Each structure stands twice: as structure tokens, then as C-alpha cells.
């Protein structure tokens, strides 16, 4: 069974940093591209970042470019999102999602990041 | 960026009645290989999104056959033939033909 479990969320002050993790199991993690998608409280879904299976292609939404860094460790079946210079508007539930042929076929349960002083 | 416009915003439906959600894109979603990467997701209250439909009309395994997707180019529709109580939630369309990936604003389905 495919499982994606995010962790690392919490309360952080504006300007601070946080590192999210996504632990994958039930599939060959190194064979799939992955995405981060976020959802602000009571709002819709916003794509954040994409990383391909070999980490040779990484894309970011304009809203996080230069502040967030996506990486992965295929040996440890893990995906990461390093978030720096956090702003109030980064407050959201962050989901990792597996990519397959132009779709996001499996999603984690999400981890909540709250940016507030 | 491709703008995805969903309507309606809210959809009150009587149990057992049909429901239809529209999703329109600001550009054609036909990729150079001929495929159309238009997806539908369901998000039940308190849960993470779940994929229902991929490439316009392909239903995921385990998704009831009362859900169907259709459309082409820039105009797409998700239909529920007979709404059940478990269908309550927010439905999102998403395009993956063009970077960045973009989502519609969501349609909230509720029971009258």
C-alpha cells in the first residue's frame, strides 16, 4: 500500500525556517517524481514545488522561489522541503504528493505550518 | 500561468439527484503528445485530497461509477449521477499540461 507521511510542521515566527519531511513507503520511491502542494486555512490547493526522480529537475511556484528548497534522499525514501524566510502567507497545510504521468495519484495526510508572531 | 475556473462555487444537491461541476481553462490542455492532463480531486471534510479522475475521463480504482469526467480542449465537466451522503466535500480540477500545475478554486458539494 502506498503511504506518504509528512512531518516537521509547527508554529514558527515570521522570518524563521522550518524543514518538512515526507516519508514514502509501499512503492519504489526512487522511480517517481514528487510534488509539494499547500492549502491555506479555508482556502484551495496551491502547487508549491516539483522534483523529478533523480533531482535533476526541480521547479518552484513564484510565491516560494528563492525561499524554499526541495530535495530528496532516494536511499531513505524521503522527500524534504526546506522553508526559509517564512511569511504569514506561508501558513498552510503542506502535502506531499506522488507524480505519475501528468497527475498526482497519491497524497499524504499533510502537516500544518503556522507562521505567526 | 493557466487559470482554471470552476463553477459553481457551491452546489447544494438532493440525495439521489445528479450533480455537475464545470472546469474551464484559460488555454488548451492538450499536450504535444495528444494527451490532456486534466484531473479531478475530491476533498472530504478534514481529509487530504483524493484523486477521482485523471486524463479527463479515467476513473481511479475504487471510485464509484456514479462519478464520470468528460470534456476536451478548455472545457471539462465532472458529473455525479446520483449524489450520496459520502460525496459531500470540495471538488477541485487540476491541469498538469503546462507548468506550473494549477488548480481550480474548488466546488463545495453539500446536501440540501
Amino acid at each position: 500500500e502506498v503511504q506518504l507521511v509528512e512531518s516537521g510542521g509547527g508554529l514558527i515566527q515570521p522570518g524563521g525556517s522550518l524543514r518538512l519531511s515526507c516519508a514514502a513507503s509501499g512503492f519504489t520511491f526512487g522511480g517517481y517524481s514528487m510534488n509539494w502542494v499547500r492549502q491555506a486555512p479555508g482556502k484551495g490547493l496551491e502547487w508549491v514545488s516539483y522534483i523529478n526522480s533523480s533531482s535533476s529537475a526541480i521547479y518552484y511556484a513564484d510565491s516560494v522561489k528563492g525561499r524554499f528548497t526541495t530535495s530528496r534522499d532516494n536511499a531513505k525514501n524521503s522527500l524534504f522541503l526546506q522553508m526559509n524566510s517564512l511569511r504569514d502567507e506561508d501558513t498552510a497545510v503542506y502535502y506531499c504528493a506522488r507524480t505519475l504521468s501528468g497527475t498526482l495519484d497519491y497524497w499524504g495526510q499533510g502537516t500544518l505550518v503556522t507562521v505567526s508572531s | 500561468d493557466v487559470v482554471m475556473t470552476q463553477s459553481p462555487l457551491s452546489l447544494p444537491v438532493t440525495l439521489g439527484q445528479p450533480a455537475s461541476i464545470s472546469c474551464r481553462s484559460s488555454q488548451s490542455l492538450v499536450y504535444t503528445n495528444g494527451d490532456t492532463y486534466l484531473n479531478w480531486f475530491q476533498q472530504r471534510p478534514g481529509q487530504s485530497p483524493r484523486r477521482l479522475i485523471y486524463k479527463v475521463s479515467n476513473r481511479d480504482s475504487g471510485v464509484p461509477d456514479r462519478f464520470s469526467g468528460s470534456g476536451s480542449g478548455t472545457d471539462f465537466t465532472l458529473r455525479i449521477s446520483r449524489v450520496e451522503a459520502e460525496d459531500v466535500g470540495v471538488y477541485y480540477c487540476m491541469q498538469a499540461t503546462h507548468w506550473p500545475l494549477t488548480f481550480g478554486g474548488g466546488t463545495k458539494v453539500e446536501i440540501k
Side-chain angles (χ1 to χ4, degrees):
Chain A
E1 179 196 2
V2 172
Q3 281 202 315
L4 298 168
V5 179
E6 301 91 338
S7 61
L11 175 62
I12 188 79
Q13 291 189 338
S17 298
L18 213 53
R19 190 191 196 213
L20 305 185
S21 299
C22 170
S25 60
F27 67 102
T28 304
F29 179 71
Y32 289 83
S33 300
M34 299 293 294
N35 285 270
W36 287 101
V37 177
R38 69 184 181 183
Q39 186 171 35
K43 302 296 185 184
L45 300 168
E46 178 191 16
W47 172 78
V48 172
S49 180
Y50 162 93
I51 184 168
N52 72 349
S53 57
S54 64
S55 303
S56 61
I58 305 175
Y59 307 139
Y60 300 96
D62 287 345
S63 56
V64 307
K65 204 174 292 182
R67 301 186 299 121
F68 288 13
T69 302
T70 294
S71 61
R72 64 191 294 163
D73 184 339
N74 289 342
K76 295 184 177 178
N77 295 331
S78 294
L79 173 71
F80 305 102
L81 183 66
Q82 177 67 44
M83 305 186 295
N84 298 331
S85 304
L86 282 161
R87 305 167 180 168
D88 290 350
E89 56 265 34
D90 295 319
T91 293
V93 174
Y94 286 74
Y95 298 101
C96 63
R98 192 177 81 166
T99 303
L100 176 66
S101 220
T103 187
L104 305 180
D105 61 346
Y106 287 94
W107 297 59
Q109 87 291 346
T111 187
L112 175 61
V113 172
T114 303
V115 184
S116 175
S117 52
Chain B
D1 296 1
V2 176
V3 177
M4 305 296 287
T5 303
Q6 282 185 237
S7 61
L9 214 58
S10 175
L11 185 54
V13 187
T14 301
L15 286 173
Q17 293 301 301
S20 181
I21 300 170
S22 169
C23 175
R24 290 189 170 139
S25 58
S26 59
Q27 300 177 34
S28 171
L29 298 187
V30 180
Y31 192 58
T32 52
N33 64 2
D35 283 336
T36 300
Y37 296 109
L38 186 283
N39 305 270
W40 288 98
F41 297 91
Q42 174 194 61
Q43 188 174 32
R44 290 172 170 151
Q47 295 186 13
S48 54
R50 164 202 183 194
R51 190 183 68 174
L52 295 177
I53 303 279
Y54 60 97
K55 287 199 281 188
V56 181
S57 59
N58 295 275
R59 200 168 42 243
D60 264 86
S61 60
V63 173
D65 60 7
R66 63 179 181 274
F67 289 92
S68 64
S70 64
S72 63
T74 61
D75 203 347
F76 305 92
T77 302
L78 176 70
R79 289 187 177 87
I80 310 173
S81 59
R82 295 171 306 279
V83 171
E84 297 190 5
E86 65 178 17
D87 300 337
V88 164
V90 182
Y91 292 78
Y92 296 93
C93 59
M94 183 203 84
Q95 68 81 23
T97 298
H98 306 280
W99 283 105
L101 307 184
T102 47
F103 291 87
T107 295
K108 186 174 185 178
V109 171
E110 54 190 14
I111 305 301
K112 274 185 190 173

